[in-house]
Amino acid sequence: MTLQTIILAAGKGTRMRSSIPKVLHRLGADPLLGHVYRTAATLKSDAIYIVIGHEAEAVKNSFSFEPIHWILQDRQLGTGHAVQQVREHIRDDATVLVLYGDVPLLASATLQKLLDKVRSDTLALLTVRLDNPLGYGRIIRNPQGKVLAIVEEKDASDAQKNIAEVNTGVLAVQGKPLRHWLNGLGNDNAQGEFYLTDIIASAVRDGFSVETLETPDPYEVLGVNNREQLACLERQLQHRQAAWLMEQGVSFRDPARFDLRGEVAACGQDVEIDVNVLMEGRITLGHRVRVGAGVHLKNVTVEDDTEILAYSVLEDAHVGAGSRIGPYARLRPGTVLEGDVHIGNFVELKAANVGHGSKINHLSYVGDSSVGSGVNVGAGTITCNYDGANKHRTVIEDGAFIGSNSQLVAPVTIGRNATIGAGSTITRDAPADQLTLSRSRQLTVSGWVRPVKQVKK
Ligand code: UD1
Ligand code: MG
């Protein structure tokens, strides 16, 4: 079977009140249209046509790497007119699937079921029952239950408006009859538009049977027209992602207070996630990883038995097994921690490797550095990596001990098992196994008297 998928995305999205085209507004990590495109791609579509019009260039440029056939609809004269723009590409022997760029949560399993209903003389239509069907096209059936037509809200009689079963807009049919029906569309209706939905009546007239698939899940077919609906679908997406993670063995203190904008590529068992955690990009979590409240992870790998305490921010970082990070730690891009590393509060790391069992527990900046294993970096230590023009590396070898409030002015190497006295500014390499310090000697001034305030009379 050849599958040609058409995604309609030419509309303006006036109710978003935005300078960004509606289909480029984000849901999770991706624009609305990206979700629809991905679903179409998982169906193994042979070709995907996206009909664009409003802000066409901006939409196109956002998907420059995908194999998409872009079809321009100059003026938006209706959904039928939009599909007419693709008409010359539609193959007689293909199955054609029509999707909407602003309906992001449709599951490919549902679409597969819909496609399975397509025969040479059937048109498959996805419908849903809504408590409030206002605004949607209603499904008109005869007394035997056969579909006869779709009537748009603005063209519906009062009796028809009471019908709860509505058109989701999603349909599938073979190419040959579709091309034929597209030729016959008119715009003699309340909106003066060429309705795609009019092909239903044409199909019935030509002796086709219209097979419906009713989805039990309204969110799946909900479109985005305004920012409130966008926020509503964002919650739905988050709810689904959290549910999926729980199925994999992740515990959430409150799944309603979790956001994932990207993917958890792999995840061990008995992972615990506290409230208000945000994960972005590609995340990998080992077994028994614990993520504290308010933690933000972006493109991070965390190995087994590691705990990330509250309000820590990690980006493009790798954390080895059995480590403890935070609270309030910041791991910036290029941070790689081996196992059993402790990074404490108000510690910032950037492009730094830290070896097994090392500790940087308080108020430090370690950037462009290689830290060996078994190293202890005291409170307030700073690697001075930037001279105003260039960045330089700091090397701290295995077993070194850096006294509190030291500045290591890079490029500099602290040798194996070296000790740096507290409060030192180290500008030259410190030799292995020895104490190096740079501070003025302590002085006591005898006979010095502290000034006293004169009290006015
Ligand atoms: C359409 C259906 C209606 C269905 C509803 C579901 C028709 C005539 N009506 O109505 O039965 O219940 O969707 O949400 O099809 N678009 C274009 N070019 C155009 C017009 C629209 O690309 O000229 C795109 C829009 O960007 C949008 C989609 O098609 O993504 C639907 O258009 P919209 O105007 O929202 O159709 P509705 O009136 O909601
Ligand atoms: Mg609509």
Side-chain angles (χ1 to χ4, degrees):
M1 183 192 82
T2 306
L3 177 61
Q4 294 185 300
T5 300
I6 301 172
I7 303 174
L8 305 189
K12 183 156 191 278
T14 312
R15 282 172 284 168
M16 294 299 284
R17 297 190 183 279
S18 174
S19 59
I20 303 163
K22 175 164 79 176
V23 292
L24 293 188
H25 280 260
R26 272 174 202 280
L27 189 77
D30 299 310
L32 291 171
L33 184 56
H35 288 265
V36 183
Y37 171 79
R38 253 212 326 260
T39 308
T42 60
L43 288 170
K44 305 219 172 359
S45 304
D46 295 279
I48 297 176
Y49 302 89
I50 304 187
V51 181
I52 47 175
H54 184 73
E55 294 276 357
E57 281 307 305
V59 176
K60 230 162 129 172
N61 292 337
S62 309
F63 295 89
S64 44
F65 301 113
E66 327 289 353
I68 293 170
H69 302 271
W70 297 102
I71 307 288
L72 192 67
Q73 184 193 23
D74 273 328
R75 288 186 303 154
Q76 285 76 62
L77 302 179
T79 50
H81 182 257
V83 177
Q84 277 173 347
Q85 310 310 302
V86 193
R87 192 180 169 281
E88 61 179 288
H89 303 281
I90 296 175
R91 283 174 43 181
D92 281 352
D93 60 344
T95 295
V96 179
L97 173 68
V98 179
L99 301 175
Y100 292 65
D102 55 2
V103 179
L105 293 186
L106 251 177
S108 46
T110 304
L111 292 174
Q112 193 54 59
K113 276 191 219 154
L114 189 75
L115 289 170
D116 291 344
K117 287 181 178 289
V118 177
R119 306 269 179 278
S120 60
D121 57 354
T122 55
L123 182 152
L125 189 65
L126 185 64
T127 68
V128 66
R129 248 165 238 282
L130 297 177
D131 292 339
N132 178 11
L134 186 76
Y136 287 85
R138 308 300 202 283
I139 308 294
I140 311 297
R141 293 176 184 268
N142 72 10
Q144 288 72 45
K146 286 228 165 300
V147 174
L148 298 178
I150 295 175
V151 175
E152 293 303 301
E153 170 86 27
K154 287 187 178 142
D155 303 292
S157 66
D158 286 344
Q160 289 170 333
K161 282 182 184 159
N162 285 330
I163 298 171
E165 188 190 11
V166 304
N167 174 32
T168 64
V170 174
L171 58 83
V173 68
Q174 285 204 330
K176 190 173 181 181
L178 176 62
R179 287 163 55 101
H180 173 65
W181 299 325
L182 285 173
N183 283 342
L185 289 182
N187 63 351
D188 182 16
N189 51 52
Q191 302 185 83
E193 286 184 2
F194 295 91
Y195 292 163
L196 180 63
T197 44
D198 283 351
I199 70 168
I200 306 301
S202 309
V204 172
R205 202 179 315 121
D206 288 353
F208 273 63
S209 91
V210 177
E211 298 287 321
T212 54
L213 176 71
E214 186 181 319
T215 170
D217 175 9
Y219 288 110
E220 194 183 21
V221 292
L222 212 67
V224 172
N225 295 304
N226 55 41
R227 292 181 196 248
E228 191 182 346
Q229 288 170 337
L230 181 64
C232 166
L233 287 189
E234 175 75 35
R235 263 301 100 215
Q236 266 304 309
L237 173 72
Q238 295 306 340
H239 172 77
R240 280 157 201 233
Q241 292 179 151
W244 184 83
L245 285 169
M246 288 189 280
E247 276 171 33
Q248 311 305 305
V250 174
S251 282
F252 289 93
R253 277 308 174 93
D254 181 1
R257 282 182 283 170
F258 168 71
D259 286 85
L260 169 62
R261 299 178 195 148
E263 58 161 346
V264 175
C267 181
Q269 279 190 344
D270 297 311
V271 168
E272 286 178 27
I273 298 180
D274 213 322
V275 299
N276 294 327
V277 167
L278 169 61
M279 296 186 185
E280 290 187 271
R282 195 182 158 86
I283 304 292
T284 303
L285 303 172
H287 296 298
R288 298 170 299 279
V289 166
R290 280 174 292 162
V291 183
V295 166
H296 180 184
L297 305 179
K298 186 173 184 181
N299 300 321
V300 168
T301 302
V302 185
E303 292 183 355
D304 297 353
D305 300 299
T306 282
E307 185 170 17
I308 301 172
L309 297 162
Y311 305 108
S312 296
V313 178
L314 287 69
E315 181 179 357
D316 293 318
H318 177 100
V319 183
S323 296
R324 203 180 67 215
I325 312 298
Y328 300 102
R330 180 164 184 214
L331 308 193
R332 290 171 53 201
T335 299
V336 177
L337 311 181
E338 287 179 12
D340 290 316
V341 169
H342 289 187
I343 303 295
N345 42 211
F346 308 110
V347 172
E348 175 182 345
L349 277 78
K350 187 213 73 172
N353 295 296
V354 180
H356 200 270
S358 291
K359 296 183 169 76
I360 311 174
N361 272 331
H362 328 269
L363 301 151
S364 290
Y365 172 63
V366 175
D368 300 310
S369 300
S370 296
V371 178
S373 56
V375 168
N376 193 316
V377 175
T381 297
I382 291 170
T383 57
C384 309
N385 58 333
Y386 187 50
D387 60 14
N390 302 299
K391 303 259 169 71
H392 303 281
R393 284 198 79 75
T394 300
V395 176
I396 304 176
E397 294 181 348
D398 295 351
F401 181 101
I402 314 297
S404 297
N405 196 29
S406 295
Q407 298 89 53
L408 310 178
V409 182
V412 71
T413 296
I414 311 299
R416 212 180 150 83
N417 291 322
T419 300
I420 302 298
S424 296
T425 299
I426 301 296
T427 54
R428 282 171 289 139
D429 291 354
D433 300 309
Q434 295 183 51
L435 170 67
T436 300
L437 71 167
S438 75
R439 56 163 110 106
S440 45
R441 282 191 181 278
Q442 187 164 318
L443 184 80
T444 300
V445 180
S446 57
W448 179 81
V449 179
R450 190 191 291 174
V452 243
K453 251 188 194 160
Q454 297 294 326
V455 185
K456 277 191 190 145
K457 297 221 172 102

